[in-house]
Amino acid sequence: MYHYSIAPHHIPALSDKLAFAQSLGVSNLELPGDIDGIPFDRLSPAQIESAREALIDSGVRVVLATLSADPADDAALRRFFNAAYELHAESILLPPAGALAPDAYAASLLPAARYARCYNMGLLVSNDPATALSTDAGVTQAVRALDAFDCGAVFDTAGYQKTGLYPFFGACYGSHIKNRIRVLRVGDLFSDGTPAPLAHGVCGIREVASLLLARSFDGYFSLCATSGAYDDWKLWLRDTRQMLKNM
C-alpha cells in the first residue's frame, strides 16, 4: 500500500546493500551515486552490467541515486547518466548547495537537469541544514527554478528540526510545494538534537506524514542513515509502518 525505501550508507558493497534490503523486505534502494565505492561516471561497462544483473536477481530497484559527477564536467555527466539509466534509476538527488544561493545552485545544475530530462529521470532537491536550502523557502526556490525538468523535493524532517524549525508548522504546513514532495525522510529527534524513537520526539513526523497522505502522497517513506545494526533498522521500519497504521 505504501512505498518504503532505504539508504543504508554504512554498508559499502552493493551485494551487501541488496542482501540488507531483502532481509528487511524492502525492494526500493537509494544509492550515493556509486557502486562499491566507485562513482557512476567511473564505472566500466562490465561493472555496470554486473550491478544491473545483481539488481535484477535481487528484485531490488534503484529509486534514487545521488549525483556524484562534477556538474561542470559534461563528459562525466554523460557517463553518470548513462550508468544511472542502465541501472534503471528512477530519480536523481542533486548534491548539497554548499555556499550557493538557491537560484545560483539551480543554475549550476542545469546541465545535469538536461541530461535527466533526456533520460526521463526525475530530479530531487533536499533541504540541508548547512546550506541556503535549510528552509522550505530555499528548497521551493530551487525546485521552481528547475520547473521544466520534472523536479521534486525530499523532505528531511530531522534536517529541518536541526535548524530550529518545527518541521510541520515551520516547513511543511505552509509549503507551496507539498504536492511535489516525493520522498519523506522518516526520523525523529529530541529537543537536544539526539535521535528519538519514531513519533516520540519533537519533529512532528506523524503530522507531516498525515498531511502529505491527505494530499495523496504516493512517494517513498525513506529510511536513511550512516550507521545502525540490522535490528535497529528492522525496528525503525516496524515503527514506521505502525505509525502509518495508527493514523
Side-chain angles (χ1 to χ4, degrees):
M1 182 175 179
Y2 296 124
H3 310 297
Y4 308 96
S5 65
I6 61 168
H9 294 322
H10 61 300
I11 301 176
L14 177 63
S15 59
D16 292 335
K17 291 179 190 284
L18 296 177
F20 192 72
Q22 288 176 307
S23 67
L24 289 172
V26 175
S27 59
N28 302 308
L29 181 66
E30 303 176 26
L31 292 177
D34 69 54
I35 298 293
D36 298 343
I38 304 172
F40 278 12
D41 64 296
R42 298 178 190 170
L43 291 169
S44 69
Q47 288 169 324
I48 294 172
E49 182 58 24
S50 176
R52 176 178 170 274
E53 291 178 1
L55 287 163
I56 292 172
D57 287 340
S58 68
V60 175
R61 61 194 297 259
V62 179
V63 296
L64 181 159
T66 302
L67 179 64
S68 54
D70 182 353
D73 185 335
D74 184 71
L77 284 177
R78 189 182 307 115
R79 292 192 300 270
F80 173 90
F81 277 96
N82 179 68
Y85 171 77
E86 292 292 340
L87 298 176
H88 205 63
E90 180 179 320
S91 295
I92 303 301
L93 175 62
L94 297 175
L100 295 176
D103 281 342
Y105 169 70
S108 74
L109 291 163
L110 284 175
R114 294 188 184 102
Y115 274 110
R117 182 166 59 187
C118 287
Y119 282 101
N120 197 30
M121 295 176 191
L123 291 178
L124 294 170
V125 173
S126 178
N127 57 295
D128 179 356
T131 71
L133 303 184
S134 62
T135 65
D136 170 67
V139 174
T140 298
Q141 192 174 345
V143 168
R144 285 181 168 172
L146 294 167
D147 226 2
F149 302 97
D150 187 26
C151 188
V154 174
F155 191 98
D156 184 352
T157 316
Y160 278 122
Q161 183 63 39
K162 289 175 182 176
T163 68
L165 286 172
Y166 178 56
F168 178 66
F169 285 117
C172 187
Y173 186 78
S175 176
H176 295 292
I177 58 167
K178 285 191 285 289
N179 288 350
R180 295 173 70 169
I181 295 172
R182 297 175 188 167
V183 176
L184 174 60
R185 298 280 195 219
V186 178
D188 213 343
L189 300 172
F190 290 118
S191 57
D192 63 359
T194 57
L198 197 63
H200 287 78
V202 296
C203 288
I205 180 64
R206 189 197 309 271
E207 291 83 355
V208 172
S210 178
L211 178 60
L212 294 182
L213 289 171
R215 300 179 71 91
S216 301
F217 176 74
D218 193 38
Y220 297 96
F221 292 95
S222 166
L223 280 59
C224 176
T226 56
S227 64
Y230 169 75
D231 286 345
D232 295 330
W233 282 73
K234 189 174 181 179
L235 178 62
W236 190 4
L237 181 60
R238 188 201 71 184
D239 287 349
T240 300
R241 288 173 169 152
Q242 191 61 48
M243 176 186 73
L244 294 170
K245 289 178 185 177
N246 292 340
M247 286 182 180

